[in-house]
Amino acid sequence: MVLEATREASVHDATSPLRIGLAFGLATLVLGVGDYLSITMGIDWTTDVGPQAFRFSPRMLVALPLIVGALTAFATLLLGKLAPGRSRSVAIDSVLALPLLACIPALFSGASIAASPLRWPLMLATLAAAFVAVVVVRRLCVAALRRMPAADKARQTAGALALLVAIAGVAVPAYLSARILRNLYPTFHGALALVALGSAAAALLVMLAANAKPVGAAPRLPSMRRAAGALAAGLALWAALIGLCARSATGRNTLLEHAPFTGTIVPAMFAIDAAVAAASSPQIVPPTSAGVPLSHARFDPRKPKPHIVLITVDALRGDAMRDGNRYAPCTTQLRALAKRHVELTHAYAPSNATIFALPGLLTGLARAGSETPRAFYLPVVLVENGYEAEAWVTQHDLTTIDNDLTRLRKLGFHFKTYKTAYASAEDLTAWALDNLRREDPQFVWLHLSDVHSPYALPRGPSVDGCTMADEYGPRMATLDAVLASFIAKLEARSDVVWALTADHGESRGDRGVYGHGSSLFDEQVRVPLVLGGSGVDSAVIDAPVTLLDLPATLLEMAGAALPDEAPRLRWRRASTAAPSRHAISFGDKGCSVTRDNLKLILDDHAGTLLLFDLANDRDEQNNVAAAHPAEAKELFGLLAPPFCSEASMRLSWLLPQ
Ligand SMILES: [Zn+2]
């Protein structure tokens, strides 16, 4: 009994866990630095994103078990200090299981699994199984070691075998993880699986090393200084581990989206890449794509001018108006209505956030704001041409935040009448109808907050098929009824032209994200766009277009002549205008461009360059940049300041060769 307890103790007190930890740490740092240099020099050793290209580099296979081994050694050391006695054995099991426990929930945090009603039982069961696996593996190893002859050679052989088992135990689940979870950030999940299984394997290695100590020797407890050193080594290893996860574009994105705290390290790591790239490669400066100033519009004074109604719904997703979508039952009336008018099915907002989108929507300029001269604003141009300009822009947020949007609101977006009360679509549309009774031509802008959080406006009766738990859907149904009845009243008149759109989209759990302003995926930048009124044809236009061309289009719909080179949206079949500009969107950390079926996203925060084939991959899951290097380069060539920041443009080094 005494002997057994001593043996058990000797198993836990590794010969020199600190030394092992530091050696592993050094190796990892060298690997990490080497990796960063290799990627900046264009030698990519690791995986690419996308299920077909999934493969782990030999480096990664070696580095991860090393890291995990070091973490385990560190944990053993710390516990030797903190929890002496029998309780240590349980505590060690727990700590060995910790990386596993921390990883498993993340493994299941992908969007589709997160939406499953079984996700909690599934996660709990996996957690329990993982814990039991660690405990059992450790006990089996201890038992096996006790039966072994004491000769050093035999122990070394056993150690080598254990290493092989560990590598196999890591590679197989990593492959499975990539197959099973392939649509959920394969690299990231694969790396997590590696860490999880590697921790069990490394526990085995550490125990072999520990057992090499003469049986019966008194366990030596480490000093606080050693513990502090090991802590520092552990932290460095942690940073290196995240760095490895952040090596792939998808890994970076996923860390930022799903692990905000850990993700804080990503920009720093990327900044190093970007700085090295900036120093070593010439920058590509593509041509800009600019519109024609709205003041170039010429109205024929002899012709009567129709009223113009612009309806922007804050945070209404583009796919809400698409047949077959989960929100389709909530927009039945608007979808039917759209079919009678011009529906642009691939309209892109200039930005994923109101602050950038609204000024763009009223000027056609990419980076308009309170400093932009008045003359660029649609209401100013219309007032100069005899219109009255009234806006009701519902304010759903704190007006005390001092940003450019606040300043623009103070200027009333250069409208003559400007209301801000937080009110429902019903109130706003009634007010608009009042205005439209006037004789003089009116430009009425309604900006609705009915489907924007905090969802505090009155809600209409529930609608069949649209009774989802997510507040967003039922709110949309309310809006559907009110707007359909409002637009029906506009349809009955021959003196109104109108547009219905949104300032940006909204993530509703897509990729595990809620809200907007955080990414340039379709759910945040694609918006509904319907044009209607006197003289407007009915058509469905599937080509990607930008809302930046809406103000010029509204002028043309109202009868103004614009220079042919002014890009605008197609609202009548015989149009001589330059087609809409490329659908470029930007946020505060990147920009994107969509042309035909391809969409390129640059994220200078995550340090990613992603190309999606929207025809075959509507959910933007598979980065096909490596498979289409020429197209990626071509799309990149369409991006330029002011849409894209200098930081985004520096991502040119990520273009596949
Ligand atoms: Zn908004």
Side-chain angles (χ1 to χ4, degrees), residues 185-240:
Y185 306 112
T187 312
F188 184 66
H189 291 293
L192 286 177
L194 274 179
V195 176
L197 289 140
S199 70
L204 212 148
L205 291 177
V206 170
M207 280 181 294
L208 283 170
N211 207 55
K213 203 174 179 183
V215 172
R220 215 180 65 208
L221 292 181
S223 71
M224 277 316 279
R225 196 164 57 85
R226 281 180 164 212
L231 181 67
L235 283 176
L237 291 170
W238 172 80

Side-chain angles (χ1 to χ4, degrees), residues 314 354 503-504 516:
D314 205 316
T354 314
D503 58 346
H504 50 75
H516 50 265

Side-chain angles (χ1 to χ4, degrees), residues 88-318:
R88 257 191 309 173
S89 106
V90 178
I92 286 175
D93 285 335
S94 312
V95 168
L96 290 180
L98 261 183
L100 202 59
L101 299 185
C103 289
I104 300 290
L107 273 171
F108 288 91
S109 68
S112 59
I113 288 178
S116 157
L118 285 175
R119 65 191 182 280
W120 289 110
L122 205 63
M123 270 172 61
L124 288 175
T126 319
L127 287 177
F131 186 79
V132 170
V134 169
V135 173
V136 168
V137 166
R138 199 183 71 84
R139 302 274 155 175
L140 283 176
C141 290
V142 170
L145 283 168
R146 278 184 191 148
R147 283 188 184 85
M148 269 187 197
D152 280 356
K153 206 145 199 138
R155 289 188 191 284
Q156 279 165 12
T157 314
L161 278 174
L163 183 66
L164 286 177
V165 170
I167 290 173
V170 163
V172 173
Y175 174 76
L176 287 178
S177 164
R179 301 300 301 175
I180 296 165
L181 299 166
R182 60 193 209 158
N183 287 328
L184 305 171
Y185 306 112
T187 312
F188 184 66
H189 291 293
L192 286 177
L194 274 179
V195 176
L197 289 140
S199 70
L204 212 148
L205 291 177
V206 170
M207 280 181 294
L208 283 170
N211 207 55
K213 203 174 179 183
V215 172
R220 215 180 65 208
L221 292 181
S223 71
M224 277 316 279
R225 196 164 57 85
R226 281 180 164 212
L231 181 67
L235 283 176
L237 291 170
W238 172 80
L241 173 64
I242 301 307
L244 277 175
C245 280
R247 278 295 317 284
S248 82
T250 316
R252 282 198 283 267
N253 243 357
T254 313
L255 278 172
L256 288 167
E257 283 181 1
H258 294 284
F261 174 70
T262 311
T264 51
I265 202 167
V266 172
M269 298 215 147
F270 175 66
I272 299 169
D273 287 346
V276 173
S280 61
S281 60
Q283 273 186 42
I284 299 172
V285 184
T288 64
S289 68
V292 170
L294 300 178
S295 53
H296 288 198
R298 291 286 168 263
F299 280 89
D300 184 343
R302 292 159 301 176
K303 278 192 191 163
K305 298 184 183 82
H307 301 304
I308 305 171
V309 178
L310 170 62
I311 309 157
T312 54
V313 181
D314 205 316
L316 182 62
R317 296 164 62 111

